[in-house]
mmCIF file of all heavy atoms in Angstrom:
data_model
loop_
_atom_site.group_PDB
_atom_site.id
_atom_site.type_symbol
_atom_site.label_atom_id
_atom_site.label_comp_id
_atom_site.label_asym_id
_atom_site.label_seq_id
_atom_site.Cartn_x
_atom_site.Cartn_y
_atom_site.Cartn_z
ATOM 1 N N VAL A 153 98.337 88.577 103.895
ATOM 2 C CA VAL A 153 97.436 89.635 104.358
ATOM 3 C C VAL A 153 98.228 90.562 105.275
ATOM 4 O O VAL A 153 98.622 90.150 106.371
ATOM 5 C CB VAL A 153 96.224 89.050 105.108
ATOM 6 C CG1 VAL A 153 95.288 90.176 105.548
ATOM 7 C CG2 VAL A 153 95.484 88.055 104.228
ATOM 8 N N PRO A 154 98.473 91.797 104.865
ATOM 9 C CA PRO A 154 99.323 92.678 105.671
ATOM 10 C C PRO A 154 98.654 93.103 106.976
ATOM 11 O O PRO A 154 97.466 93.412 107.020
ATOM 12 C CB PRO A 154 99.534 93.900 104.776
ATOM 13 C CG PRO A 154 99.145 93.453 103.403
ATOM 14 C CD PRO A 154 98.076 92.426 103.603
ATOM 15 N N SER A 155 99.428 93.139 108.019
ATOM 16 C CA SER A 155 99.001 93.783 109.260
ATOM 17 C C SER A 155 99.624 95.173 109.297
ATOM 18 O O SER A 155 100.355 95.583 108.387
ATOM 19 C CB SER A 155 99.412 92.952 110.468
ATOM 20 O OG SER A 155 100.813 92.766 110.495
ATOM 21 N N ASP A 156 99.320 95.910 110.338
ATOM 22 C CA ASP A 156 99.792 97.280 110.500
ATOM 23 C C ASP A 156 101.304 97.376 110.266
ATOM 24 O O ASP A 156 102.088 96.728 110.940
ATOM 25 C CB ASP A 156 99.442 97.748 111.917
ATOM 26 C CG ASP A 156 99.781 99.199 112.192
ATOM 27 O OD1 ASP A 156 100.651 99.762 111.509
ATOM 28 O OD2 ASP A 156 99.181 99.765 113.115
ATOM 29 N N GLY A 157 101.703 98.177 109.276
ATOM 30 C CA GLY A 157 103.112 98.413 109.004
ATOM 31 C C GLY A 157 103.750 97.470 108.010
ATOM 32 O O GLY A 157 104.944 97.611 107.704
ATOM 33 N N GLU A 158 102.976 96.535 107.452
ATOM 34 C CA GLU A 158 103.562 95.543 106.550
ATOM 35 C C GLU A 158 103.340 95.842 105.063
ATOM 36 O O GLU A 158 104.007 95.250 104.220
ATOM 37 C CB GLU A 158 103.017 94.152 106.868
ATOM 38 C CG GLU A 158 103.465 93.607 108.203
ATOM 39 C CD GLU A 158 102.960 92.204 108.465
ATOM 40 O OE1 GLU A 158 102.049 91.751 107.741
ATOM 41 O OE2 GLU A 158 103.487 91.567 109.403
ATOM 42 N N LEU A 159 102.408 96.725 104.734
ATOM 43 C CA LEU A 159 102.137 97.031 103.333
ATOM 44 C C LEU A 159 102.790 98.357 102.953
ATOM 45 O O LEU A 159 102.563 99.380 103.600
ATOM 46 C CB LEU A 159 100.636 97.120 103.071
ATOM 47 C CG LEU A 159 100.250 97.569 101.652
ATOM 48 C CD1 LEU A 159 100.710 96.537 100.618
ATOM 49 C CD2 LEU A 159 98.752 97.812 101.541
ATOM 50 N N ARG A 160 103.561 98.319 101.882
ATOM 51 C CA ARG A 160 104.178 99.533 101.351
ATOM 52 C C ARG A 160 103.592 99.812 99.972
ATOM 53 O O ARG A 160 103.567 98.932 99.114
ATOM 54 C CB ARG A 160 105.692 99.374 101.252
ATOM 55 C CG ARG A 160 106.423 100.630 100.773
ATOM 56 C CD ARG A 160 107.927 100.425 100.811
ATOM 57 N NE ARG A 160 108.359 99.439 99.829
ATOM 58 C CZ ARG A 160 108.718 99.722 98.565
ATOM 59 N NH1 ARG A 160 108.673 100.968 98.136
ATOM 60 N NH2 ARG A 160 109.113 98.760 97.753
ATOM 61 N N CYS A 161 103.121 101.032 99.771
ATOM 62 C CA CYS A 161 102.655 101.481 98.459
ATOM 63 C C CYS A 161 103.644 102.514 97.934
ATOM 64 O O CYS A 161 104.081 103.398 98.684
ATOM 65 C CB CYS A 161 101.264 102.108 98.554
ATOM 66 S SG CYS A 161 99.971 100.977 99.106
ATOM 67 N N SER A 162 103.992 102.412 96.654
ATOM 68 C CA SER A 162 105.012 103.305 96.098
ATOM 69 C C SER A 162 104.595 103.822 94.730
ATOM 70 O O SER A 162 103.740 103.233 94.060
ATOM 71 C CB SER A 162 106.355 102.580 96.004
ATOM 72 O OG SER A 162 106.263 101.456 95.138
ATOM 73 N N TRP A 163 105.238 104.923 94.305
ATOM 74 C CA TRP A 163 104.908 105.563 93.031
ATOM 75 C C TRP A 163 106.027 106.530 92.642
ATOM 76 O O TRP A 163 106.874 106.897 93.449
ATOM 77 C CB TRP A 163 103.581 106.318 93.138
ATOM 78 C CG TRP A 163 103.577 107.339 94.252
ATOM 79 C CD1 TRP A 163 104.012 108.629 94.203
ATOM 80 C CD2 TRP A 163 103.144 107.115 95.604
ATOM 81 N NE1 TRP A 163 103.872 109.242 95.429
ATOM 82 C CE2 TRP A 163 103.344 108.331 96.311
ATOM 83 C CE3 TRP A 163 102.603 106.013 96.279
ATOM 84 C CZ2 TRP A 163 103.027 108.480 97.660
ATOM 85 C CZ3 TRP A 163 102.290 106.161 97.633
ATOM 86 C CH2 TRP A 163 102.494 107.374 98.300
ATOM 87 N N GLU A 164 105.993 106.973 91.400
ATOM 88 C CA GLU A 164 106.925 107.978 90.889
ATOM 89 C C GLU A 164 106.419 109.367 91.254
ATOM 90 O O GLU A 164 105.210 109.598 91.335
ATOM 91 C CB GLU A 164 107.018 107.865 89.372
ATOM 92 C CG GLU A 164 108.118 108.697 88.734
ATOM 93 C CD GLU A 164 109.432 107.968 88.659
ATOM 94 O OE1 GLU A 164 109.646 107.219 87.709
ATOM 95 O OE2 GLU A 164 110.248 108.167 89.593
ATOM 96 N N THR A 165 107.331 110.299 91.472
ATOM 97 C CA THR A 165 106.953 111.680 91.777
ATOM 98 C C THR A 165 107.299 112.600 90.612
ATOM 99 O O THR A 165 108.158 112.289 89.780
ATOM 100 C CB THR A 165 107.675 112.182 93.034
ATOM 101 O OG1 THR A 165 109.087 112.146 92.811
ATOM 102 C CG2 THR A 165 107.320 111.324 94.247
ATOM 103 N N LEU A 166 106.641 113.742 90.552
ATOM 104 C CA LEU A 166 106.913 114.718 89.501
ATOM 105 C C LEU A 166 108.365 115.184 89.543
ATOM 106 O O LEU A 166 109.007 115.360 88.503
ATOM 107 C CB LEU A 166 105.986 115.924 89.653
ATOM 108 C CG LEU A 166 104.487 115.685 89.526
ATOM 109 C CD1 LEU A 166 103.730 116.993 89.724
ATOM 110 C CD2 LEU A 166 104.134 115.076 88.174
ATOM 111 N N GLU A 167 108.876 115.381 90.725
ATOM 112 C CA GLU A 167 110.242 115.886 90.895
ATOM 113 C C GLU A 167 111.253 114.936 90.272
ATOM 114 O O GLU A 167 112.246 115.365 89.678
ATOM 115 C CB GLU A 167 110.495 116.087 92.402
ATOM 116 C CG GLU A 167 111.912 116.427 92.799
ATOM 117 C CD GLU A 167 112.653 115.205 93.311
ATOM 118 O OE1 GLU A 167 111.990 114.193 93.612
ATOM 119 O OE2 GLU A 167 113.899 115.269 93.387
ATOM 120 N N ARG A 168 110.990 113.630 90.345
ATOM 121 C CA ARG A 168 111.911 112.647 89.767
ATOM 122 C C ARG A 168 111.848 112.612 88.247
ATOM 123 O O ARG A 168 112.719 112.031 87.600
ATOM 124 C CB ARG A 168 111.607 111.258 90.324
ATOM 125 C CG ARG A 168 111.956 111.102 91.804
ATOM 126 C CD ARG A 168 111.785 109.663 92.250
ATOM 127 N NE ARG A 168 112.113 109.494 93.661
ATOM 128 C CZ ARG A 168 112.030 108.334 94.307
ATOM 129 N NH1 ARG A 168 111.624 107.247 93.661
ATOM 130 N NH2 ARG A 168 112.335 108.254 95.584
ATOM 131 N N THR A 169 110.816 113.209 87.682
ATOM 132 C CA THR A 169 110.701 113.264 86.229
ATOM 133 C C THR A 169 111.054 114.653 85.691
ATOM 134 O O THR A 169 110.688 115.004 84.569
ATOM 135 C CB THR A 169 109.276 112.896 85.780
ATOM 136 O OG1 THR A 169 108.344 113.877 86.281
ATOM 137 C CG2 THR A 169 108.877 111.522 86.294
ATOM 138 N N GLY A 170 111.760 115.427 86.500
ATOM 139 C CA GLY A 170 112.176 116.753 86.077
ATOM 140 C C GLY A 170 111.149 117.840 86.299
ATOM 141 O O GLY A 170 111.303 118.956 85.785
ATOM 142 N N GLY A 171 110.117 117.530 87.054
ATOM 143 C CA GLY A 171 109.048 118.487 87.283
ATOM 144 C C GLY A 171 109.178 119.208 88.610
ATOM 145 O O GLY A 171 110.201 119.140 89.284
ATOM 146 N N PRO A 172 108.113 119.875 89.018
ATOM 147 C CA PRO A 172 108.152 120.674 90.244
ATOM 148 C C PRO A 172 108.089 119.822 91.506
ATOM 149 O O PRO A 172 107.615 118.678 91.483
ATOM 150 C CB PRO A 172 106.890 121.541 90.131
ATOM 151 C CG PRO A 172 105.948 120.691 89.322
ATOM 152 C CD PRO A 172 106.812 119.972 88.325
ATOM 153 N N ASP A 173 108.581 120.378 92.603
ATOM 154 C CA ASP A 173 108.338 119.773 93.906
ATOM 155 C C ASP A 173 106.828 119.732 94.140
ATOM 156 O O ASP A 173 106.090 120.624 93.714
ATOM 157 C CB ASP A 173 108.994 120.595 95.016
ATOM 158 C CG ASP A 173 110.512 120.505 94.992
ATOM 159 O OD1 ASP A 173 111.039 119.478 94.530
ATOM 160 O OD2 ASP A 173 111.159 121.472 95.432
ATOM 161 N N ALA A 174 106.375 118.707 94.822
ATOM 162 C CA ALA A 174 104.949 118.586 95.113
ATOM 163 C C ALA A 174 104.770 117.743 96.360
ATOM 164 O O ALA A 174 105.715 117.127 96.864
ATOM 165 C CB ALA A 174 104.198 117.968 93.930
ATOM 166 N N TYR A 175 103.538 117.707 96.852
ATOM 167 C CA TYR A 175 103.184 116.962 98.055
ATOM 168 C C TYR A 175 102.208 115.853 97.667
ATOM 169 O O TYR A 175 101.392 116.017 96.750
ATOM 170 C CB TYR A 175 102.555 117.895 99.090
ATOM 171 C CG TYR A 175 103.494 118.992 99.537
ATOM 172 C CD1 TYR A 175 103.649 120.143 98.774
ATOM 173 C CD2 TYR A 175 104.242 118.868 100.697
ATOM 174 C CE1 TYR A 175 104.531 121.150 99.175
ATOM 175 C CE2 TYR A 175 105.128 119.868 101.108
ATOM 176 C CZ TYR A 175 105.261 120.996 100.335
ATOM 177 O OH TYR A 175 106.141 121.985 100.721
ATOM 178 N N TYR A 176 102.274 114.731 98.395
ATOM 179 C CA TYR A 176 101.522 113.539 98.011
ATOM 180 C C TYR A 176 100.716 113.023 99.195
ATOM 181 O O TYR A 176 101.234 112.895 100.303
ATOM 182 C CB TYR A 176 102.488 112.472 97.484
ATOM 183 C CG TYR A 176 103.180 112.936 96.217
ATOM 184 C CD1 TYR A 176 104.287 113.780 96.290
ATOM 185 C CD2 TYR A 176 102.692 112.589 94.971
ATOM 186 C CE1 TYR A 176 104.904 114.259 95.143
ATOM 187 C CE2 TYR A 176 103.308 113.054 93.810
ATOM 188 C CZ TYR A 176 104.408 113.887 93.906
ATOM 189 O OH TYR A 176 105.006 114.369 92.761
ATOM 190 N N ILE A 177 99.433 112.716 98.919
ATOM 191 C CA ILE A 177 98.497 112.237 99.931
ATOM 192 C C ILE A 177 97.944 110.893 99.468
ATOM 193 O O ILE A 177 97.408 110.785 98.357
ATOM 194 C CB ILE A 177 97.331 113.224 100.128
ATOM 195 C CG1 ILE A 177 97.863 114.636 100.414
ATOM 196 C CG2 ILE A 177 96.418 112.762 101.252
ATOM 197 C CD1 ILE A 177 96.803 115.717 100.287
ATOM 198 N N HIS A 178 98.048 109.883 100.301
ATOM 199 C CA HIS A 178 97.608 108.521 99.965
ATOM 200 C C HIS A 178 96.342 108.205 100.750
ATOM 201 O O HIS A 178 96.278 108.403 101.962
ATOM 202 C CB HIS A 178 98.724 107.534 100.333
ATOM 203 C CG HIS A 178 98.402 106.091 100.163
ATOM 204 N ND1 HIS A 178 97.610 105.389 101.052
ATOM 205 C CD2 HIS A 178 98.771 105.198 99.225
ATOM 206 C CE1 HIS A 178 97.515 104.136 100.665
ATOM 207 N NE2 HIS A 178 98.212 103.986 99.553
ATOM 208 N N ARG A 179 95.313 107.694 100.052
ATOM 209 C CA ARG A 179 94.065 107.282 100.696
ATOM 210 C C ARG A 179 93.722 105.863 100.266
ATOM 211 O O ARG A 179 93.738 105.561 99.067
ATOM 212 C CB ARG A 179 92.915 108.232 100.323
ATOM 213 C CG ARG A 179 93.072 109.654 100.869
ATOM 214 C CD ARG A 179 91.894 110.512 100.434
ATOM 215 N NE ARG A 179 91.923 111.832 101.016
ATOM 216 C CZ ARG A 179 92.559 112.889 100.485
ATOM 217 N NH1 ARG A 179 93.222 112.723 99.347
ATOM 218 N NH2 ARG A 179 92.538 114.062 101.074
#
Side-chain angles (χ1 to χ4, degrees):
V153 181
S155 58
D156 184 337
E158 292 182 346
L159 175 64
R160 183 175 67 90
C161 297
S162 61
W163 56 86
E164 189 88 85
T165 61
L166 298 179
E167 172 260 345
R168 291 187 180 179
T169 64
D173 290 332
Y175 298 82
Y176 296 81
I177 307 166
H178 175 283
R179 293 179 175 88

